[in-house]
Amino acid sequence: MKTQVELAIIKKVREYRLAAGMSQAQLSMEMNLDITFVGNVESAKCKDKYNFNHLNALAIFNCKMKDFMPDENFPDDNSKYLKRDK
C-alpha cells in the first residue's frame, strides 16, 4: 500500500507529465525505465513507486527533486515509528 506522502509525489509527477503532454509510456522511456513503469506507479493496484533516483531523472521537466515533495507532513501508518519526544 502506498503512503499518503508517496501518493502526493505520484500526483505531482503526474501533473508535470500531463502538462508536458507526455504519455505514461513516453515518460517511462525518457527515464530509461521499462515502458510500463510510470503506468504501474500511477496505478492503485501496483506497489511500484518513485524513489530518489527516479525523481532525479525527472529533471527532464526542468525542475528540481524538491518540486515533487509535499509542502507538509502527512500522518501515515509509518508515523508510529517516527514518534518524537515532546
Side-chain angles (χ1 to χ4, degrees):
M1 183 169 136
K2 296 173 186 167
T3 66
Q4 291 180 46
V5 172
E6 292 162 343
L7 291 171
I9 292 169
I10 292 165
K11 179 181 176 188
K12 192 64 146 176
V13 172
R14 184 174 187 272
E15 289 172 3
Y16 273 81
R17 177 179 68 74
L18 293 174
M22 296 178 83
S23 70
Q24 294 171 335
Q26 287 172 316
L27 181 55
S28 295
M29 289 185 293
E30 285 289 326
M31 296 172 67
N32 292 319
L33 298 168
D34 185 273
I35 196 167
T36 63
F37 180 76
V38 173
N40 288 343
V41 169
E42 292 183 9
S43 171
K45 296 178 183 180
C46 293
K47 293 182 180 180
D48 293 351
K49 51 195 164 197
Y50 296 113
N51 63 33
F52 288 116
N53 294 317
H54 298 138
L55 297 180
N56 190 55
L58 292 170
I60 59 172
F61 292 130
N62 200 22
C63 61
K64 298 180 181 188
M65 288 175 46
K66 69 178 186 171
D67 295 330
F68 300 105
M69 300 297 169
D71 293 330
E72 58 189 73
N73 292 335
F74 291 95
D76 275 315
D77 291 338
N78 294 331
S79 297
K80 63 186 173 188
Y81 300 110
L82 303 173
K83 289 186 179 176
R84 299 180 192 145
D85 294 331
K86 294 187 177 193

